[in-house]
Amino acid sequence: MRILVTGATGFIGRHVVARLGAAGHAVVCCVRDIERARRLLADHDYLPCDFNRDVTADDWLPRLAGIDAVVNCVGILQSRRGQAMEAIHRAAPKALFDACVQARMRRVIQISALGVGPDVATEYAQSKLDADRHLQMLDLDWLILRPSLAYTPSGSFGGTSLFRGLAALPWVIPLVGDGRQLFQPIHMADLTEAVRRLIEERHVSRQIVNLVGPEPLALRDILAGFRRWLGLGPARFVEVPLSLVRQLARLADRLGGVGPITTTSLDMLLAGNVADPGPLVAATGFVPRRFAAALAAEPAHVQDRWHARLYFLRPLLRVTIGLFFLCTGLFTFLFWPKADSIALLRAAGFPEVTLPVAYYAGWAFDVVLGVTLLLRWRVQAVGRVMVAACVFYLLFVTIAAPAEWMYPITPLGIVIPLMVAMLVMIAIEDDR
């Protein structure tokens, strides 16, 4: 079959594309960034789309020409700059499903989420539920798949990355409350195999199928399982009061969803994430693997430990470098004698007429870079500019005041390890 997969570069989408491609299907990856998709997903066809803007059936009909089935894997946990949940979860999927009716699509699969329901008041749950209900009303051969926590030892994203990061913390593992919130983790290979079978074998239709593992596990047991899998020593669980976690989640919301947990992810965690695996087994004909057995079958490597340990260090590194540049610019303007700065610029060969502009531009440049990094806007590009700025600074001071290199403790010596830290930040910033 020729299958259109939306959200093909997402965590679930990439695995769905790989599984369908391995089964011999022609997969069309419908994505916002085609060049990035080509780098991540070789040997497939690609179509541009944007769930923020493609909100009418007419936007989708041309993309459905020659398509036999559609799998919608698009989803975001929280609205942010350039990503509106109202469009991504409601308007665009509804338009896509309406277009599927007009195109007489053979099969439409919506990847929703376990735990969405009328009693969960988050924007995430309600927007997903609205699209699910719209699909249920249409004259289509549809299936709505609602996965629990999807994991794979070979990689992680979102919640599974957070769990790995928590599991790898030294000495203590913080828990949300008592850490007894239940999940029913499903291995990504089982999730994608279910998608494949439910596309190819159409004896199950117009149903909601919960994609869950065979056993419910408490959050503390999942974290302990990941820690054992990573090969780390024992650690003590520390129960963080739910009221404090909620305050931290609200702070993360105010900062634009920056942080390991937001109010949306907290509410979804507390809502529960378990279901009867029987309907999945009946629909697909196989029993998903157990969490402990799946981890045991795929031993962790040193790269897995790196990733887990860097989970919380990565944002700390970015914030530290951003604050360094911000404070450097502000301190230069507020406390460093202007005459001394002008003298350095003059010694470096700047024309006299440009000295005032160069002075103000220099400290303002540092401030802008620092603020931009703190806002996490194009971190890798800003990091490259920072490295270039450091190189320029070293050359500038070498020309203007070469004697600075003679002191054992000098700002010049600090710049070199700072540049290395920036290169590390650039290398580990991409989380997909």
Side-chain angles (χ1 to χ4, degrees):
M1 283 192 286
R2 188 169 174 82
I3 304 170
L4 181 78
V5 178
T6 61
T9 55
F11 182 53
I12 290 179
R14 289 201 307 273
H15 287 87
V16 168
V17 168
R19 184 67 191 94
L20 295 177
H25 298 289
V27 181
V28 179
C29 302
C30 204
V31 295
R32 283 197 303 166
D33 188 340
I34 288 182
E35 291 306 315
R36 181 172 181 271
R38 285 197 174 103
R39 293 194 299 270
L40 295 175
L41 303 164
D43 302 324
H44 295 289
D45 294 330
Y46 308 90
L47 284 176
C49 75
D50 188 343
F51 270 55
N52 287 286
R53 297 181 300 182
D54 299 333
V55 294
T56 69
D58 288 341
D59 293 325
W60 288 100
L61 271 173
R63 301 184 178 109
L64 299 180
I67 298 296
D68 300 304
V70 169
V71 183
N72 178 33
C73 299
V74 172
I76 59 172
L77 190 61
Q78 191 154 324
S79 296
R80 56 186 184 273
R81 184 177 61 241
Q83 294 281 77
M85 193 175 295
E86 173 63 31
I88 292 171
H89 282 183
R90 276 197 179 98
K94 288 182 178 181
L96 170 60
F97 301 152
D98 290 341
C100 288
V101 173
Q102 298 181 43
R104 300 182 181 277
M105 194 59 50
R106 290 174 55 187
R107 182 70 122 177
V108 176
I109 290 181
Q110 157 84 334
I111 305 294
S112 185
L114 190 63
V116 303
D119 56 335
V120 183
T122 65
E123 183 186 14
Y124 173 85
Q126 291 304 306
S127 58
K128 277 285 189 183
L129 182 62
D130 194 24
D132 293 354
R133 286 173 169 171
H134 183 79
L135 179 58
Q136 289 174 274
M137 294 186 297
L138 299 178
D139 183 20
L140 278 171
D141 181 357
W142 56 263
L143 284 172
I144 295 170
L145 308 184
R146 291 179 172 171
S148 181
L149 178 73
Y151 71 95
T152 172
S154 61
S156 66
F157 179 73
T160 50
S161 290
L162 170 60
F163 289 174
R164 287 190 186 192
L166 289 170
L169 287 172
W171 307 303
V172 297
I173 301 176
L175 297 172
V176 176
D178 61 8
R180 301 193 185 279
Q181 301 85 9
L182 293 178
F183 292 84
Q184 219 155 321
I186 182 167
H187 194 288
M188 188 64 76
D190 293 331
L191 186 156
T192 56
E193 177 63 13
V195 172
R196 182 195 69 79
R197 294 191 185 195
L198 292 171
I199 283 180
E200 295 177 353
E201 304 165 12
R202 299 174 60 193
H203 61 280
V204 178
S205 180
R206 301 179 68 84
Q207 291 185 24
I208 296 175
V209 180
N210 295 318
L211 303 184
V212 294
E215 58 184 352
L217 292 172
L219 173 60
R220 60 169 60 223
D221 295 326
I222 293 173
L223 296 180
F226 273 131
R227 190 172 184 90
R228 286 192 300 270
W229 176 73
L230 288 167
L232 303 176
R236 178 185 176 189
F237 285 119
V238 176
E239 298 182 3
V240 181
L242 187 57
S243 58
L244 176 58
V245 177
R246 194 169 291 282
Q247 291 300 320
L248 294 173
R250 288 171 180 162
L251 175 62
D253 288 347
R254 286 193 288 270
L255 294 174
V258 176
I261 191 166
T262 63
T263 54
T264 297
S265 58
L266 177 60
D267 288 340
M268 294 298 293
L269 170 68
L270 299 177
N273 222 250
V274 296
D276 178 10
L280 171 61
V281 176
T284 61
F286 75 93
V287 178
R289 66 203 75 186
R290 295 174 58 251
F291 180 70
L295 293 183
E298 301 180 59
H301 298 279
V302 65
Q303 294 86 350
D304 299 304
R305 288 187 285 276
W306 287 352
H307 180 264
R309 286 168 168 159
L310 286 170
Y311 182 81
F312 293 105
L313 291 177
R314 182 171 68 102
L316 180 62
L317 180 62
R318 174 179 55 82
V319 170
T320 301
I321 295 174
L323 287 175
F324 179 87
F325 268 78
L326 174 62
C327 293
T328 297
L330 291 178
F331 288 180
T332 299
F333 176 65
L334 296 174
F335 303 114
W336 191 258
K338 180 179 178 180
D340 290 353
S341 298
I342 293 292
L344 275 175
L345 292 169
R346 185 179 291 113
F350 279 74
E352 197 69 27
V353 69
T354 65
L355 293 180
V357 174
Y359 166 73
Y360 287 107
W363 66 260
F365 182 68
D366 283 351
V367 169
V368 170
L369 287 179
V371 170
T372 303
L373 202 59
L374 291 174
L375 294 176
R376 202 182 175 186
W377 185 79
R378 297 184 179 275
V379 171
Q380 291 174 314
V382 172
R384 295 184 186 99
V385 173
M386 286 179 164
V387 171
C390 287
V391 172
F392 173 81
Y393 173 75
L394 291 176
L395 294 174
F396 166 76
V397 175
T398 299
I399 295 172
E404 290 291 327
W405 285 104
M406 301 298 293
Y407 296 99
I409 301 176
T410 169
L412 295 182
I414 296 174
V415 171
I416 295 173
L418 179 64
M419 290 172 61
V420 175
M422 292 174 194
L423 293 173
V424 172
M425 178 190 71
I426 294 169
I428 66 177
E429 175 58 26
D430 192 357
D431 59 0
R432 285 183 179 266

